[in-house]
Amino acid sequence: MALGISLIVLAVVSWFFTLSLRGRTRVQRRLLSTNPSVGEVCKVQLHCSEQAMIQEQLPESFGPGPVLDSPGDLEYELIFGTRGIHQLGPAQQVVSDSLGLVKGLVNTGETLDVPVRSELIDLHRFASLGEQLLTGDARHSRSTTADYYDVAIRDYQQGDSIRQVHWKASARQGKLMVRQENHVATAQALLILDTTFEHWCHSGVDLRLSIPGKNEDFPSSRRFETALCLASSIGSSYASSGYQLSFRDLSGTPLIEQHQQATSDVIAQSNFELFHAATADLSLNNDGTDATSAELFSDQLHKELLGFRDEPVIMILGELTVDQARRLATLARTVRHAEIFLLVAHPERYDAAHQELAGTGWKVHLLSGSLGAEQKWGA
């Protein structure tokens, strides 16, 4: 009996000894891939300068993590299947006492939050999207400055300001030459993304998803994730074609804080990158508003739309009643270039709403949202 008690006491002492090792090992984790998106390879480095056996702790969907026999580094790759704020760690250290009586895992090191953006795909079906309106009235500029590459030289004409004289060019040419400033033409576009919870998660047919957030998970659906992928892919196409996009929900609330004045294609691309980064934790709006109201847009958004007479407007919607379609069609008198994507579970039930928009001259896509965007529009 005394031997049994001694063994129990020894085991308890050994276990407390192993627990005392918790947090003593300094484990560092570094994200080698910046701004990962769904479906892209994300590289992570695990480092420990002390003698230890470290097992990385990954999100549950990945299973057991890789093991680092430190000191040294370990690089591994992940491919995230959903957007969100995914947590890596804390790592677990394999510990045991000197007698080998107790062996276990204790948490060590800090966690790392990895923001994963929505998926981007090549929209082969819409290959000319974002390019067809880059000429004519649809293209305009709000630029007020021009850099070196925007300056051309021409002969002086009566009425030109003396401030425009290019003295070096005048000396070379032997006559007065002036600067001809050609402002960078940055086209404007508006992308409206329906973020109303009831429009994307209103029936049992919607495949519900749980998106990991920084503090807690938030609900989504397969249809909304498809819509968000579509919005990001369209936004990427427009931005690469020189458009500065404004991003709004149905209430007219901006989905990102962006530059109000665009003076170059670089800023146009930057605005899209802000939106794409925001998709990592973009959640549906569940504020209890009437999702079946005859007015699809708020007064604020309606007024803003009236300012996009010749600029492209993209609408990505999860629900549209006949009354809403009828009200929406009246905007065609002012908004001339619009493209609507209606992603629903049963497209055949929306023929009447589709007919209300048929005479607008807009492009209207009535699509099944049950499949992922890659299956619908990708390669």
Side-chain angles (χ1 to χ4, degrees), residues 19 25 30 41 45 59 70 95 119 127 131-132 139-140 164 182 188 190 208 265 270-271 282 288 332 340 342 356:
L19 288 181
T25 304
R30 187 160 64 97
V41 174
Q45 182 187 69
S70 62
V95 294
E119 184 180 10
E131 300 175 358
Q132 56 192 349
R139 187 174 178 87
H140 72 287
Q164 290 179 261
N182 300 313
Q188 310 295 310
L190 176 64
R208 302 294 180 93
D265 291 352
S270 174
N271 274 343
L282 179 65
I340 300 177
L342 181 58
E356 293 290 340

Side-chain angles (χ1 to χ4, degrees), residues 338-353:
E339 190 154 9
I340 300 177
F341 297 86
L342 181 58
L343 277 66
V344 293
H346 300 286
E348 66 277 4
R349 299 178 183 177
Y350 292 81
D351 288 341

Side-chain angles (χ1 to χ4, degrees), residues 36-40 79-84 116-123 222 224-236 272 275-276 279-280 371-379:
S37 299
V38 171
E40 295 180 349
I79 298 179
F80 292 95
T82 61
R83 67 184 179 93
V116 179
R117 307 175 299 177
S118 61
E119 184 180 10
L120 283 180
I121 61 173
D122 291 330
L123 297 174
R222 180 66 176 272
F224 181 69
E225 295 305 304
T226 300
L228 194 53
C229 172
L230 179 61
S232 299
S233 301
I234 289 176
S236 177
F272 165 71
F275 169 75
H276 197 204
T279 61
L371 294 177
E374 184 67 33
Q375 293 93 328
K376 296 184 70 60
W377 303 296

Side-chain angles (χ1 to χ4, degrees), residues 139-160:
R139 187 174 178 87
H140 72 287
S141 172
R142 295 182 183 176
S143 301
T144 57
T145 60
D147 60 24
Y148 174 81
Y149 298 101
D150 300 317
V151 178
I153 307 299
R154 62 169 175 81
D155 291 343
Y156 175 84
Q157 297 176 0
Q158 187 175 1
D160 287 336

Side-chain angles (χ1 to χ4, degrees), residues 153 165-175 177 179:
I153 307 299
V165 174
H166 194 296
W167 296 109
K168 291 184 178 180
S170 298
R172 289 196 301 268
Q173 299 290 335
K175 57 181 178 180
M177 305 292 292
R179 294 180 177 87

Side-chain angles (χ1 to χ4, degrees), residues 102-287:
V102 177
K103 184 176 182 180
L105 298 172
V106 295
N107 291 341
T108 184
E110 302 293 330
T111 61
L112 175 67
D113 289 335
V114 182
V116 179
R117 307 175 299 177
S118 61
E119 184 180 10
L120 283 180
I121 61 173
D122 291 330
L123 297 174
H124 299 298
R125 180 173 171 183
F126 309 107
S128 62
L129 198 64
E131 300 175 358
Q132 56 192 349
L133 297 176
L134 280 173
T135 58
D137 295 337
R139 187 174 178 87
H140 72 287
S141 172
R142 295 182 183 176
S143 301
T144 57
T145 60
D147 60 24
Y148 174 81
Y149 298 101
D150 300 317
V151 178
I153 307 299
R154 62 169 175 81
D155 291 343
Y156 175 84
Q157 297 176 0
Q158 187 175 1
D160 287 336
S161 170
I162 194 67
R163 295 180 180 178
Q164 290 179 261
V165 174
H166 194 296
W167 296 109
K168 291 184 178 180
S170 298
R172 289 196 301 268
Q173 299 290 335
K175 57 181 178 180
L176 280 180
M177 305 292 292
V178 297
R179 294 180 177 87
Q180 174 68 55
E181 293 184 348
N182 300 313
H183 296 310
V184 175
T186 303
Q188 310 295 310
L190 176 64
L191 191 151
I192 300 170
L193 176 63
D194 184 357
T195 60
T196 307
F197 178 86
E198 292 83 358
H199 288 175
W200 300 104
C201 303
H202 68 83
S203 67
V205 73
D206 283 319
L207 177 61
R208 302 294 180 93
L209 300 175
S210 183
I211 304 301
K214 193 170 184 63
N215 298 316
E216 60 180 1
D217 294 355
F218 53 88
S220 182
S221 71
R222 180 66 176 272
R223 280 198 301 128
F224 181 69
E225 295 305 304
T226 300
L228 194 53
C229 172
L230 179 61
S232 299
S233 301
I234 289 176
S236 177
S237 177
Y238 267 72
S240 63
S241 296
Y243 281 91
Q244 177 181 339
L245 289 112
S246 298
F247 299 91
R248 301 286 186 269
D249 62 15
L250 298 186
S251 70
T253 303
L255 296 177
I256 59 168
E257 294 183 5
Q258 63 189 86
H259 302 279
Q260 295 301 312
Q261 296 289 333
T263 59
S264 72
D265 291 352
V266 173
I267 295 182
Q269 185 66 35
S270 174
N271 274 343
F272 165 71
E273 292 295 337
L274 286 174
F275 169 75
H276 197 204
T279 61
D281 58 356
L282 179 65
S283 60
L284 292 171
N285 184 9
N286 193 16
D287 58 5

